[in-house]
Amino acid sequence: AVVSTQSGHYGRDNNAGGEPTRHLNSPDLYIPVMGFATYVVAVAVALGSQGKFSPEMLGITATTAFVWLMIEIGIVQLAMYLISVSTDIKIFDLASFSGYKFVHMIVCVVAAMVLGSTGYYLSFIYSSAAIVYFLICTLRYIILPDSNEDRIARGSKRRNNLLLLIAFIQPLIIFWLTHHVTYGPDPVPLTKI
């Protein structure tokens, strides 16, 4: 079945498009905004446990993450313009998909606090694979609208490259914004507490 709204066609029922009030899987900004706020607090706690916290770090962390989010959205918008790809994806949908990385960043920061650098890198690998898989699966119905019944997305090479750009830029930004919390001392083993 096809889901349609006033603003146009969004594809199959299991895709990620549509208005949040009308479609269960449509992107909204709740998870990215809550993830952003929690990421800032998690970094503050991690830096505090390393003795590196200062109140300015809250603002620096929030500003840095927000600026990188805007740069990422700008890069994707510029890429869409330069390769002449027109999709149904709106700017807030793109912000939502880009903001889902904050949940994975929280997992990496907490893993670094609890398990040290080894836990950070293991959670980073898993989180990177998960966000790339999630974005490819959800965005292919929007960016590659020519999917047939066997779920193989067929589209131009430009659209495939755009999809891969959006998906594979996430792990780079996750690493860039979270690797600094792993340079503290490893956590105290539970047997010494």
Side-chain angles (χ1 to χ4, degrees):
V2 175
V3 175
S4 296
T5 64
Q6 294 173 349
S7 59
H9 170 71
Y10 284 102
R12 292 179 185 18
D13 284 338
N14 62 348
N15 76 343
E19 296 175 3
T21 57
R22 296 184 183 194
H23 197 276
L24 181 63
N25 292 331
S26 63
D28 62 1
L29 290 172
Y30 179 77
I31 293 173
V33 169
M34 292 299 110
F36 178 82
T38 307
Y39 161 73
V40 172
V41 172
V43 168
V45 170
L47 292 176
S49 69
Q50 297 172 10
K52 298 178 185 177
F53 177 76
S54 68
E56 295 84 23
M57 291 306 296
L58 289 171
I60 291 170
T61 302
T63 303
T64 303
F66 184 74
V67 166
W68 277 105
L69 181 68
M70 293 299 112
I71 289 171
E72 176 189 355
I73 292 170
I75 288 171
V76 171
Q77 288 288 323
L78 180 65
M80 288 172 61
Y81 174 75
L82 290 177
I83 61 176
S84 302
V85 171
S86 62
T87 66
D88 287 341
I89 195 165
K90 308 290 187 265
I91 190 76
F92 288 117
D93 292 344
L94 190 57
S96 178
F97 286 122
S98 297
Y100 287 142
K101 80 169 107 358
F102 290 115
V103 174
H104 299 278
M105 291 164 64
I106 295 165
V107 170
C108 291
V109 170
V110 170
M113 285 191 306
V114 174
L115 302 172
S117 60
T118 303
Y120 167 78
Y121 288 111
L122 290 175
S123 67
F124 172 73
I125 291 168
Y126 176 76
S127 294
S128 296
I131 191 75
V132 167
Y133 179 76
F134 167 74
L135 288 175
I136 288 174
C137 287
T138 56
L139 288 178
R140 72 176 174 190
Y141 292 110
I142 297 171
I143 296 175
L144 304 171
D146 301 330
S147 296
N148 59 15
E149 292 304 318
D150 61 359
R151 300 186 66 176
I152 297 174
R154 307 222 192 297
S156 70
K157 189 174 184 179
R158 294 182 300 192
R159 288 179 180 265
N160 286 328
N161 290 339
L162 176 64
L163 178 62
L164 294 176
L165 170 74
I166 294 171
F168 283 104
I169 201 170
Q170 305 302 316
L172 298 175
I173 295 174
I174 289 172
F175 182 77
W176 182 255
L177 292 176
T178 59
H179 76 281
H180 65 282
V181 299
T182 63
Y183 294 122
D186 277 345
V188 178
L190 294 177
T191 56
K192 292 185 178 182
I193 295 180

